[in-house]
Amino acid sequence: RKSGFQSVWSSTWYTFSTATTVGYGDISPSNGGSQLLAIIIALLGIPLDGLIVGVTILAARMAIDKDGRLGRLVQAVKTRLT
């Protein structure tokens, strides 16, 4: 059975573009160098997204801690568990 990929690189590009949810849409890099650059940019975007989410959650947690609501909730859970 013949696959739709002409080379290992084309299957690698398809895998990375799918795994990073960049997609395989209408506009995509056509040569190997452009595809490699797109893979690098996509892989650098993953930790950047994690950093943004982490900072946002930290800011929300600090705002909740300022009111004391989270501290009381954590204390209540700890009391029930012990």
Side-chain angles (χ1 to χ4, degrees), residues 41-55:
I41 291 171
L43 290 176
L44 289 174
I46 294 170
L48 181 62
D49 288 343
L51 179 67
I52 292 169
V53 169
V55 168

Side-chain angles (χ1 to χ4, degrees), residues 2-59:
K2 189 172 181 159
S3 93
F5 299 110
Q6 289 79 25
S7 67
V8 173
W9 177 251
S10 65
S11 62
T12 302
W13 164 247
Y14 179 79
T15 301
F16 272 98
S17 65
T18 302
T20 57
T21 65
V22 173
Y24 202 75
D26 297 339
I27 301 172
S28 64
S30 57
N31 62 18
S34 299
Q35 291 172 344
L36 181 62
L37 180 63
I39 288 172
I40 291 169
I41 291 171
L43 290 176
L44 289 174
I46 294 170
L48 181 62
D49 288 343
L51 179 67
I52 292 169
V53 169
V55 168
T56 303
I57 290 175
L58 178 64

Side-chain angles (χ1 to χ4, degrees), residues 57-78:
I57 290 175
L58 178 64
R61 184 173 176 179
M62 289 173 65
I64 292 171
D65 277 345
K66 197 179 294 185
D67 289 349
R69 288 182 280 162
L70 183 62
R72 286 186 297 227
L73 176 63
V74 169
Q75 193 60 32
V77 170
K78 281 183 181 178

